[in-house]
Amino acid sequence: MKKVSYILVLVAVLISCNQSKLPKITPDVITEFTLNDTDDPAIWVNPKNAEESIVFGTDKKTNGAVYAFDLDGKIIEEKTIRNIQRPNNVDVEYGFQLNDSTKTDILVFTEREKQQIRMFSVPDMEPLDGGGFKVFEDEELKENRLPMGISLFKSPKDAKIYAIVGRKTGPADGYLYQYALNADSLGITSSYVRKFGKFSGVKEVEAIAIDDENGFVYFSDEGVCIKKYYAEPSMGNEEISCFGGKYFDEDIEGIAIASYADGHGYLIVSNQQKGEFNIFDRETNTYITAVNLSTTETDGCEAVTMPLNDTFKNGLFVAMNDEKNFYFYDLAKLGLQ
């Protein structure tokens, strides 16, 4: 009996370890620990002082939170949102029009156990949603109404901001829902726009990332490929491509988009069980290389390409690590320029 227990423990340790054979790249900063189970980060670049930018990260349990970290990885308690019932994924967007004269940056995240998304202003962290916007309301089965992934899209056409939301389980078609975030004299509302996105039925869909400038949404059909669609509703619901699957061991997880001012850039995607990140060309979606950032079981990741401080002179890449924390890297460590 003791021998069996030892083997089970050994298997569990091996599964949770970083399996990559590539040279390990160490993080510049490791954050303070969260309480429960980290999942997904988002980076807000402070337009007035980049050194005071904030990294947000979800901690997904019934007593969960969206943590705020400074660039040294320290928790900013006054900007951390607590008592959230299983926050899963999070994203930020800039310049949401509150009224004719006022704009604010926003943070939006899924609250799975309440079947809703939440919306807060940044950096003052005031709720803008009246307690939450319900999602997947036309679904009869509760398990099909449990949101997981989320990403925000600011349309280059009219500056309207949308939330594209995925869920824990769902149908073979129409797995993602898109909602417009609206403000008028009565307040802020979320309105259903469309459903789209095919799901293979293998594993699940969680990671979603949007390329605002080029108008594409990417999501990880975890056991199959990275899927690409138009983010602009008027462009239709047809799948553009399904790519990259052969470069992953098992789960295809978090997607970060590193976009540069001259138009070039990269998709950085977590190869979860191997402990690596696969890098694809932003324009062609062709595979370039893989890197080992020394994380284990990474779900979410995020990138910005502008300099923030002396540590992150070339931009910032953030990856969730399966030890209740997040790893921060200067973007140059990934070999991107």
Side-chain angles (χ1 to χ4, degrees):
M1 192 70 178
K2 287 183 179 179
K3 189 173 183 179
V4 172
S5 299
Y6 172 77
I7 291 171
L8 289 174
V9 169
L10 181 61
V11 169
V13 169
L14 288 173
I15 288 172
S16 66
C17 286
N18 181 303
Q19 300 292 303
S20 177
K21 295 180 181 179
L22 297 174
K24 284 188 176 182
I25 299 169
T26 57
D28 295 289
V29 170
I30 297 175
T31 69
E32 294 181 330
F33 295 106
T34 68
L35 182 63
N36 301 299
D37 181 18
T38 50
D39 191 272
D40 187 53
I43 304 167
W44 176 72
V45 178
N46 188 323
K48 296 179 180 178
N49 182 358
E51 293 186 354
E52 295 181 0
S53 298
I54 301 171
V55 176
F56 295 100
T58 59
D59 188 43
K60 57 177 186 182
K61 284 288 184 182
T62 296
N63 63 330
V66 179
Y67 281 79
F69 301 95
D70 64 23
L71 295 182
D72 293 321
K74 305 298 183 184
I75 295 169
I76 310 170
E77 188 58 44
E78 65 271 20
K79 298 192 183 299
T80 293
I81 306 167
R82 297 192 180 273
N83 301 312
I84 303 297
Q85 294 184 24
R86 202 172 182 91
N88 215 118
N89 283 30
V90 61
D91 202 7
V92 299
E93 190 55 89
Y94 300 85
F96 179 78
Q97 195 78 47
L98 287 172
N99 52 49
D100 290 343
S101 60
T102 307
K103 291 182 179 180
T104 184
D105 300 337
I106 57 172
L107 174 91
V108 180
F109 56 90
T110 53
E111 187 172 18
R112 193 196 304 178
E113 292 179 11
K114 286 192 172 182
Q115 299 137 57
Q116 64 181 11
I117 60 176
R118 300 297 315 273
M119 177 176 172
F120 285 72
S121 60
V122 180
D124 52 343
M125 312 313 297
E126 292 296 327
L128 301 174
D129 54 15
F133 302 132
K134 295 296 182 183
V135 291
F136 309 119
E137 290 185 280
D138 61 336
E139 287 281 9
E140 293 183 4
L141 299 174
K142 181 180 178 180
E143 55 263 36
N144 285 359
R145 299 196 303 269
L146 301 175
M148 289 181 67
I150 191 168
S151 192
L152 299 178
F153 170 54
K154 188 172 186 179
S155 170
K157 291 173 58 176
D158 57 11
K160 183 178 283 293
I161 295 177
Y162 300 90
I164 295 180
V165 189
R167 49 228 173 119
K168 182 69 175 173
T169 61
D173 200 4
Y175 202 92
L176 305 181
Y177 279 29
Q178 185 163 357
Y179 299 89
L181 302 176
N182 311 296
D184 58 27
S185 59
L186 299 177
I188 298 171
T189 58
S190 167
S191 59
Y192 167 83
V193 175
R194 63 165 175 161
K195 62 178 76 173
F196 71 100
K198 295 185 184 301
F199 172 51
S200 65
V202 180
K203 302 205 175 205
E204 60 190 22
V205 171
E206 180 177 6
I208 307 170
I210 297 173
D211 183 339
D212 276 1
E213 293 86 356
N214 292 324
F216 297 124
V217 53
Y218 297 90
F219 65 87
S220 295
D221 194 336
E222 287 185 12
V224 179
C225 66
I226 303 161
K227 294 192 171 180
K228 181 179 183 179
Y229 287 78
Y230 289 109
E232 197 72 63
S234 62
M235 295 295 290
N237 299 338
E238 290 302 310
E239 185 173 290
I240 300 169
S241 61
C242 174
F243 65 93
K246 67 181 180 180
Y247 299 104
F248 294 85
D249 274 16
E250 293 183 43
D251 292 359
I252 307 168
E253 281 285 352
I255 305 173
I257 300 175
S259 57
Y260 292 86
D262 63 0
H264 85 285
Y266 307 91
L267 273 67
I268 308 161
V269 187
S270 171
N271 188 356
Q272 188 177 56
Q273 282 74 28
K274 197 169 185 179
E276 294 179 357
F277 293 82
N278 289 328
I279 300 174
F280 299 84
D281 183 86
R282 180 193 185 197
E283 295 175 89
T284 65
N285 298 149
T286 53
Y287 173 80
I288 299 173
T289 190
V291 292
N292 175 8
L293 298 182
S294 67
T295 60
T296 57
E297 293 287 325
T298 295
D299 282 310
C301 55
E302 187 60 284
V304 296
T305 56
M306 63 281 292
L308 300 181
N309 62 10
D310 288 342
T311 305
F312 306 110
K313 294 178 180 179
N314 303 283
L316 170 63
F317 182 77
V318 178
M320 165 262 177
N321 182 55
D322 197 28
E323 294 176 345
K324 303 182 183 179
N325 55 15
F326 295 89
Y327 284 9
F328 296 178
Y329 309 80
D330 182 82
L331 198 57
K333 284 193 166 185
L334 280 67
L336 307 181
Q337 280 301 337

